[in-house]
Amino acid sequence: MQDTSLSLPVLPSSDWPEFKPGWVWLVGAGPGDPGLLTLHALNALRHADVIVYDALVQKVILDWARPEAEIVYAGKRGGKPSANQKDISLQLVDFARAGKRVLRLKGGDPFVFGRGGEEGQTLVQHDIPIRIIPGISAGIGGLAYAGIPVTHRDVNQSVTFVTGHDQSGDTPSSLDWAAISKGSQVLVIYMGMKHLDRIRDALLAAGRDKDEPVAIVSNATTPEQRVLETTLSTCVENAKAEGFGPPAIICVGRATMMRQALDWQAIARGEAPRNTDPLGRGRPAEDR
Ligand code: SAH
């Protein structure tokens, strides 16, 4: 029997928001590790009548739902990016109109390359009240689990989140890769594995260094997490040779080198850091 009675911590000034019947909460489940759920997400799981979840949501998280909750899978099939999106949104409308507390659970953050914006818009257009609960996005939390800080004062003052797919499933034609290449020291690419060769070509053509470090983190924050450290010119061959596929985050830029110092999972296993000063700054980090 699951224990759904565990209480949430007391909030200082207000109560936990009440999940009212007829509402849809669009909730981020984080990148995988159940410990990365927010307390608001846990509260939502404890009260939802219906949970509509995506492929990237780790199943153990659903164990925290009420035993009587209806669990509906809304994953995409065959990698078709726009399959059934309309149906999913309208299904949420139907559940809400039936007076259910509807939890729409999405991987990472619902508003980061997750179509949470579109779903929320449809719900609002149908007069369904919504609440948004952000989650830890894979492009930040997933990289952190690989020991890669998306910003570091010695590396970058900007970071750009990019999708490798557009609505047609192609590399986004509206993206100005040349401008992105010049304008952002670190690129974090979601959904980039399918077209990694085209992305590499676009970045090289835009003048990024062929030896620029690249990291690919697949199944980040899950027990299946794998990390490939490679370079821009060799990433496609290396990823293929090592069997890397989606879901994966690709990080382009010197931020990836910080993993030599900050691979905390390796350190936890008893390995020494490979290099505590990967950028060769020579001074202790706190002196800068
Ligand atoms: N809303 C999600 C992103 C959805 S798009 C978020 O904020 O994280 C789906 C893409 O997210 C995948 O193709 C992959 O690039 C990335 N992704 C999601 N979870 C991941 C994980 N555990 N490990 C690596 N990449 C992940």
Side-chain angles (χ1 to χ4, degrees):
M1 185 70 186
Q2 297 170 63
D3 185 3
T4 52
S5 64
L6 288 172
S7 60
L8 294 164
V10 173
L11 289 176
S13 53
S14 55
D15 233 337
W16 290 94
E18 187 191 343
F19 202 159
K20 296 202 182 91
W23 281 60
V24 178
W25 286 17
L26 289 162
V27 178
D33 181 347
L36 297 178
L37 274 185
T38 64
L39 293 174
H40 277 310
L42 186 59
N43 184 29
L45 277 163
R46 293 261 169 80
H47 293 99
D49 300 312
V50 183
I51 299 171
V52 182
Y53 73 100
D54 275 348
L56 287 174
V57 172
Q58 294 290 301
K59 305 292 171 293
V60 290
I61 288 171
L62 299 170
D63 290 345
W64 293 333
R66 294 161 60 226
E68 56 273 35
E70 185 180 344
I71 313 272
V72 180
Y73 175 65
K76 294 168 269 168
R77 267 173 270 149
K80 293 210 180 82
S82 25
N84 291 329
Q85 185 58 50
K86 189 175 168 209
D87 293 349
I88 294 169
S89 297
L90 294 178
Q91 197 181 22
L92 297 175
V93 171
D94 287 345
F95 281 132
R97 288 208 170 131
K100 311 271 189 200
R101 300 172 185 86
V102 187
L103 166 49
R104 176 69 173 115
L105 193 60
K106 300 174 86 73
D109 182 283
F111 277 4
V112 178
F113 300 130
R115 300 187 206 188
E118 290 96 310
E119 289 177 17
Q121 210 181 343
T122 301
L123 291 161
V124 168
Q125 286 168 353
H126 286 81
D127 292 322
I128 307 292
I130 60 170
R131 180 181 185 98
I132 310 297
I133 299 182
I136 297 179
S137 193
I140 298 176
L143 291 180
Y145 265 44
I148 300 169
V150 281
T151 76
H152 185 293
R153 275 199 305 163
D154 291 340
V155 174
N156 59 325
Q157 289 69 46
S158 66
V159 56
T160 300
F161 298 100
V162 182
T163 172
H165 274 179
D166 66 10
Q167 286 185 347
S168 68
D170 231 334
T171 35
S173 47
S174 59
L175 272 180
D176 185 343
W177 288 98
I180 289 171
S181 294
K182 285 193 185 65
S184 189
Q185 296 128 315
V186 172
L187 309 178
V188 176
I189 304 166
Y190 291 67
M191 295 175 272
M193 294 307 282
K194 188 169 167 210
H195 298 307
L196 187 55
D197 51 347
R198 291 196 218 163
I199 293 168
R200 172 206 57 197
D201 292 348
L203 293 175
L204 289 173
R208 297 293 280 225
D209 184 355
K210 70 175 180 41
D211 296 322
E212 183 162 13
V214 170
I216 300 176
V217 187
S218 67
N219 293 298
T221 83
T222 75
E224 287 77 45
Q225 172 173 310
R226 290 177 69 206
V227 185
L228 176 70
E229 292 177 41
T230 174
T231 67
L232 193 51
S233 62
T234 57
C235 62
V236 176
E237 288 69 27
N238 289 347
K240 201 170 164 203
E242 299 287 331
F244 273 72
I249 288 288
I250 303 156
C251 181
V252 180
R254 292 196 314 149
T256 58
M257 292 168 71
M258 295 311 299
R259 176 171 153 82
Q260 295 167 23
L262 299 175
D263 183 1
W264 55 272
Q265 297 196 10
I267 296 169
R269 287 194 301 268
E271 295 172 27
R274 277 178 283 160
N275 182 353
T276 57
D277 185 17
L279 302 172
R281 298 296 299 245
R283 277 181 295 151
E286 70 271 17
D287 289 350
R288 294 197 285 276

